[in-house]
Amino acid sequence: MGNPEITPDLVAAHGLTPGEYDRILEICGREPTLTELGIFSAMWNEHCSYKSSKKWLRTLPTEGPQVICGPGENAGVVDIGDGQALVFKMESHNHPSYIEPYQGAATGVGGILRDVFTMGARPIAAMNALSFGEVSHPKTRRLVHGVVEGIGGYGNCFGVPTVGGEVRFHPAYNGNCLVNAFAAGLADADKIFYSAASGVGMPVVYLGAKTGRDGVGGATMASAEFDDTIEEKRPTVQVGDPFTEKRLLEACLELMASGAVISIQDMGAAGLTCSAVEMGDKGGLGIRLDLDRVPVREDAMTAYEMMLSESQERMLMVLRPEKEDEARAIFEKWDLDFAVVGETIAEDRFLILKGNETEADLPLSTLASSAPEYDRPWVPTEPAPEMDPVPGLDPVDGLKALLTSPNYAAKNWIFGQYDSMVMADTMRGPGLGAGVVRVHDTGKALAFTSDVTPRYVKANPVEGGKQAVAEAYRNLTAVGAMPLATTDNLNFGNPEKPEIMGQFVGAIEGIGAACAALGTPIVSGNVSLYNETDGTGILPTPTIGAVGLIADASKMIAGVPEAGMLCLVVGETQGHLGCSAILWEVFGREDGDAPAVDLEAEKRHGDFVRAHAEWITACTDLSDGGLALAAFEMAAAGGVGITLEAEDTPTLFGEDQGRYLIACGFDTAEWLMVEAGKAGVPLSTVGRFEGDAVTFGRASAPLDELVALWRGAFEAALG
């Protein structure tokens, strides 16, 4: 390929600014080679360097007695007792999924699974959070079908249960869908593997599948806006093979048990470049690579292509030299490549050799920890003006509007394509607030959820950020789990626009405050910026993934209401309709402020529910759609009608925070009322489960009719 002249156009095509290129010239003391330019491009793009967000990410709470490893590694790690640890992370694959939905989503699943088992954990659960454009948009159906098939195709073949997630539709995602993938795995707390290289002269080993040209430049593409050249970016999307990844998992875990591994790193974004640089930088060492030793599946690959390929199912490891033969035998048994491709060196150098040529020779530390960092200008989001009055609404008609919207209709069509029962430990699958997985051979269980309400974040980033954490906290609490920690996937538009950067700053403030108050530190995460097409950005979507522990799985709140049970609400109902689901779905309005989040009340109410979990038959948090939607979903789960006293829109559809809906018997309700009074927790009876209809005041409809609408609406809308 040679070394072409480095022109301003070539620099720009690599996603680098003129100022950043000047810094490269200063670092190199000369013009870089094409391979060196590609390396800088890969390491300094937004996706890998977090150059626009690092300043604000440092403000998040990341520590706690349960935290074994916080942000900075492949995934976060928390202690779950008995010498066990949970390893988990959420990460985006937005740009690739919009370009090539099946492979983009599939490799998003593959990448997040590798982040988990790279740490020495066996994956036990997966989730996904998906955002698509309006159903009528010409691309939406293809994207939905492709993304869902990609997630199912990879996860099902790999053999990990998908236990939860969320799906939304809004015109703001017409030009950029969001695909956020979550995975969690179990490991021994004293056998976690990290990525920092150590020791000079140690072999650097390539593991897994061969390197091809798929995904070249993928990380740089993921750090740019889209325009009318989007179809030209298709070759930057990786191609996945879940069966190879399954073999890679088993080989890596066997290798780790052998004691051969000093450090190990997934080859994800920016492939060989990022994995080698991060290992060296974290260990304070240099790395020398001989590309002639790298296993390839295509002819005449250049150094540039090999260093920037994002071919899937690959790992990079620093190996104990005396264990080389044993390690090689393990990978040959699993029919995977094993190649010593370099070594650690004492100098601060990233030295890339191919043939008789030096393709790159750079100070390694300048590529990762010394990457550019920006304090982008930002402006706070203007307070929402006072909202106009909401017209009167027949409550059953309002409920039907929610049940037939793709946003709130039952998602069986999606979840049915995911294997949620593989491994036989799933206690509660997708379609509910939180998924629950038994910790095999113990009495414990783990709960998983993901949440964000983008319309809240747009109206009020601080309160919207708080609410995302608070709702995830409530979802875990509603199954009886003690929330442990969170991971975030911060999806925003162009950070060079002060108003977008202001959304980001505000959301971080809210997320940080909520995580601190609720004891759920951020231990891992991902930032996805430049989610814009032709200058139009997505809704700010800082997705929160959260995990919780049920110390005694037999005490999980998992029942359904029965006829004669009372319907109780924990928390106060003021009837907040600003930015509510009913406002958007019925009236097409998104005005008003986000609901306020009282973090002290959230914790007090959550503590009360968990403390009395054994007395509660069924529980769900109140969020989108308020009391009306939650009551219907609980009634549908139990196959029993429900009668609520209220019929006014604010009470039924208001989205006040800090609330739970509880079903229990009459005697239990009386006792809970007494206990709530002692704890200073508002608890009120709002109705009763009875009959075969949903009745709000004087309005009523047969439960079976509503359930049929709810279960059929999504498939009818998406085809």
Side-chain angles (χ1 to χ4, degrees), residues 507-547:
I508 288 283
E509 179 186 335
I511 290 168
C515 288
L518 301 176
T520 56
I522 297 277
V523 298
S524 60
N526 170 245
V527 178
S528 175
L529 303 177
Y530 295 97
N531 290 288
E532 298 203 0
T533 295
D534 294 327
T536 300
I538 61 166
L539 291 177
T541 312
T543 308
I544 297 294
V547 303

Side-chain angles (χ1 to χ4, degrees), residues 418-502:
Y418 304 154
D419 188 341
S420 61
M421 301 306 295
V422 64
M423 301 175 73
D425 282 319
T426 302
M427 299 177 69
R428 182 180 170 109
L432 303 165
V436 180
V437 173
R438 183 184 299 106
V439 180
H440 205 63
D441 294 329
T442 77
K444 299 179 295 192
L446 292 160
F448 305 96
T449 190
S450 68
D451 256 300
V452 67
T453 308
R455 61 181 183 274
Y456 292 171
V457 186
K458 181 181 180 183
N460 188 328
V462 177
E463 292 302 314
K466 288 181 190 175
Q467 192 275 340
V469 176
E471 186 174 346
Y473 175 89
R474 293 196 301 271
N475 284 340
L476 298 175
T477 293
V479 297
M482 169 59 73
L484 287 179
T486 52
T487 180
D488 57 11
N489 203 149
L490 307 173
N491 308 273
F492 289 81
N494 186 342
E496 296 167 46
K497 296 178 179 178
E499 65 275 14
I500 300 297
M501 198 65 211

Side-chain angles (χ1 to χ4, degrees), residues 79-127:
D79 193 329
I80 62 169
D82 307 312
Q84 293 180 302
L86 183 71
V87 180
F88 68 99
K89 187 184 182 184
M90 179 174 272
E91 193 163 66
S92 62
H93 232 224
N94 304 336
H95 286 60
S97 298
Y98 190 73
I99 297 169
E100 174 45 62
Y102 184 95
Q103 292 296 347
T107 53
V109 173
I112 200 66
L113 289 168
R114 288 196 303 280
D115 281 340
V116 166
F117 71 76
T118 300
M119 304 284 290
R122 180 174 290 277
I124 61 164
M127 297 190 297

Side-chain angles (χ1 to χ4, degrees), residues 197-461:
S198 65
V200 175
M202 297 296 168
V204 175
V205 183
Y206 175 112
L207 307 170
K210 289 179 168 57
T211 294
R213 291 188 171 92
D214 53 317
V216 173
T220 301
M221 175 273 293
S223 303
E225 290 185 30
F226 287 149
D227 53 28
D228 56 10
T229 66
I230 183 172
E231 290 301 322
E232 298 172 14
K233 296 180 172 66
R234 192 172 299 276
T236 63
V237 177
Q238 312 92 324
V239 177
D241 178 355
F243 299 106
T244 297
E245 178 127 334
K246 176 64 173 175
R247 287 185 285 120
L248 182 62
L249 162 71
E250 300 300 342
C252 283
L253 293 183
E254 187 175 340
L255 184 68
M256 290 165 174
S258 75
V261 178
I262 294 175
S263 63
I264 189 164
Q265 175 74 37
D266 162 42
M267 284 197 226
L272 191 55
T273 290
C274 192
S275 55
V277 169
E278 288 191 2
M279 290 174 77
D281 186 63
K282 289 175 183 175
L285 295 168
I287 300 282
R288 179 187 61 78
L289 295 179
D290 182 352
L291 298 186
D292 290 332
R293 298 181 180 182
V294 172
V296 295
R297 54 180 160 80
E298 299 187 47
D299 294 333
M301 287 190 71
T302 65
Y304 178 93
E305 291 169 330
M306 294 170 74
M307 292 305 296
L308 298 187
S309 167
E310 293 182 10
S311 294
Q312 296 292 288
E313 294 87 42
R314 302 180 301 159
M315 296 279 193
L316 200 65
M317 174 184 69
V318 177
L319 174 74
R320 298 189 190 282
E322 69 275 14
K323 293 276 191 177
E324 181 178 334
D325 290 343
E326 182 180 355
R328 186 185 301 276
I330 290 171
F331 271 73
E332 287 178 351
K333 180 183 76 173
W334 287 100
D335 194 24
L336 293 165
D337 279 296
F338 177 102
V340 177
V341 296
E343 65 176 354
T344 59
I345 56 179
E347 304 98 315
D348 178 23
R349 293 175 76 190
F350 192 37
L351 184 60
I352 310 299
L353 308 173
K354 190 173 191 298
N356 296 317
E357 299 293 327
T358 298
E359 297 286 349
D361 189 354
L362 301 167
L364 187 145
S365 63
T366 63
L367 298 170
S369 55
S370 299
E373 182 175 334
Y374 296 121
D375 185 1
R376 301 279 191 198
W378 62 279
V379 294
T381 300
E382 291 289 329
E386 189 170 335
M387 65 183 293
D388 295 331
V390 179
L393 177 68
D394 179 278
V396 170
D397 287 346
L399 178 62
K400 287 180 178 179
L402 295 179
L403 301 183
T404 55
S405 163
N407 284 308
Y408 305 108
K411 305 299 191 302
N412 306 60
W413 181 86
I414 290 180
F415 302 142
Q417 297 183 56
Y418 304 154
D419 188 341
S420 61
M421 301 306 295
V422 64
M423 301 175 73
D425 282 319
T426 302
M427 299 177 69
R428 182 180 170 109
L432 303 165
V436 180
V437 173
R438 183 184 299 106
V439 180
H440 205 63
D441 294 329
T442 77
K444 299 179 295 192
L446 292 160
F448 305 96
T449 190
S450 68
D451 256 300
V452 67
T453 308
R455 61 181 183 274
Y456 292 171
V457 186
K458 181 181 180 183
N460 188 328

Side-chain angles (χ1 to χ4, degrees), residues 160-220:
V160 62
T162 297
V163 300
E166 55 179 340
V167 185
R168 70 179 54 84
F169 296 84
H170 191 280
Y173 304 102
N174 282 347
N176 291 79
C177 66
L178 301 184
V179 176
N180 295 173
F182 169 100
L186 283 175
D188 291 337
D190 60 351
K191 294 178 183 175
I192 305 299
F193 287 81
Y194 299 98
S195 58
S198 65
V200 175
M202 297 296 168
V204 175
V205 183
Y206 175 112
L207 307 170
K210 289 179 168 57
T211 294
R213 291 188 171 92
D214 53 317
V216 173
T220 301

